[in-house]
Amino acid sequence: MVGSDPPVISDLTVPLPRRPLEAGSRIRDWYENELEWPTVPARPGAPLRLSVGERFDVLDVPAEAGRAGLRHLAPYSPVALQGERMRLLVAAGSAEELPGLLDWLEWGSLVPDLRAIGEGGVMDAPSPPDRRDTLQGAAVWLRPPEPGRAVEASLPTLSAAGGGAPDLVRLVGTVAAHCHRSWLRRACAQPPADAAASDQALAFS
């Protein structure tokens, strides 16, 4: 009716239609909402990365050494694989403890292939286990994390005695030994530097 008051609009608002989530957004949603793991913003086209140091640290080792260390992990302790490297999730703070632990185990700097990622670091986020479109060379879960299960309870830690968590000392000792053996095999397979120089000199004589 002309001159009448405008109709009252209800305080209830109808939500706008949501756009379908892109592939990267679905992966981010799985990590942030289902696992409650922090992620790192990535530029378009780059793989999603996980922030390390808050919920867990990472031991980055050759796949062969990582497989040897699996027996020291809980069945539901997350493990990722990317190329020839395996990433074993360990308790937050373990990266800082690693140099001292290696010294205590009398390995010192003899295992350059054993790397630790701690606070402030990142790792490529493996695709959720229900996805089958993973690109070649991308990170994948060998043992995926389980939504609803607190990851910290399954991770190797130095304070494992009596707590039920796997023992970080046993894990590091095993992977360090295998890393060192692999390094020795590669070193023995290479010709000595003097022999290589002599062969080169003969080739040009």
Side-chain angles (χ1 to χ4, degrees), residues 135-202:
L135 297 176
Q136 184 176 3
V140 296
W141 283 115
L142 184 63
R143 293 184 180 180
E146 299 180 15
R149 184 190 291 272
V151 69
E152 289 83 356
S154 71
L155 302 181
T157 175
L158 280 177
S159 57
D167 187 351
L168 181 67
V169 176
R170 296 176 186 273
L171 174 63
V172 170
T174 296
V175 297
H178 279 76
C179 284
H180 186 63
R181 289 172 194 161
S182 297
W183 179 82
L184 286 177
R185 284 198 300 269
R186 292 195 303 271
C188 292
Q190 295 176 355
D194 292 344
S198 176
D199 290 344
Q200 186 176 12
L202 289 172

Side-chain angles (χ1 to χ4, degrees), residues 55-82:
R55 300 290 303 274
F56 55 83
D57 284 358
V58 175
L59 292 184
D60 184 343
V61 301
E64 179 184 355
R67 290 189 182 92
L70 292 180
R71 67 179 184 270
H72 297 304
L73 303 180
Y76 47 88
S77 184
V79 177
L81 186 67
Q82 186 168 16

Side-chain angles (χ1 to χ4, degrees), residues 12-201:
L12 298 175
T13 58
V14 178
L16 295 174
R18 297 181 63 184
R19 297 178 56 190
L21 291 174
E22 298 177 358
S25 299
R26 285 198 298 271
I27 297 174
R28 182 179 291 107
D29 179 72
W30 187 72
Y31 280 107
E32 293 183 350
N33 297 329
E34 295 192 39
L35 296 177
E36 298 183 355
W37 289 8
T39 64
V40 177
R43 65 183 185 276
L48 181 69
R49 295 180 296 172
L50 302 177
S51 178
V52 177
E54 181 176 335
R55 300 290 303 274
F56 55 83
D57 284 358
V58 175
L59 292 184
D60 184 343
V61 301
E64 179 184 355
R67 290 189 182 92
L70 292 180
R71 67 179 184 270
H72 297 304
L73 303 180
Y76 47 88
S77 184
V79 177
L81 186 67
Q82 186 168 16
E84 296 299 320
R85 305 290 298 183
M86 191 175 290
R87 284 157 190 164
L88 312 173
L89 272 60
V90 294
S94 297
E96 295 182 4
E97 303 284 354
L98 183 62
L101 180 54
L102 288 172
D103 285 342
W104 184 76
L105 292 169
E106 299 184 350
W107 283 112
S109 59
L110 296 175
V111 282
D113 279 349
L114 173 55
R115 308 166 191 161
I117 307 173
E119 184 177 3
V122 297
M123 65 173 279
D124 286 357
S127 294
D130 61 345
R131 292 182 62 89
R132 297 292 182 266
D133 57 349
T134 304
L135 297 176
Q136 184 176 3
V140 296
W141 283 115
L142 184 63
R143 293 184 180 180
E146 299 180 15
R149 184 190 291 272
V151 69
E152 289 83 356
S154 71
L155 302 181
T157 175
L158 280 177
S159 57
D167 187 351
L168 181 67
V169 176
R170 296 176 186 273
L171 174 63
V172 170
T174 296
V175 297
H178 279 76
C179 284
H180 186 63
R181 289 172 194 161
S182 297
W183 179 82
L184 286 177
R185 284 198 300 269
R186 292 195 303 271
C188 292
Q190 295 176 355
D194 292 344
S198 176
D199 290 344
Q200 186 176 12

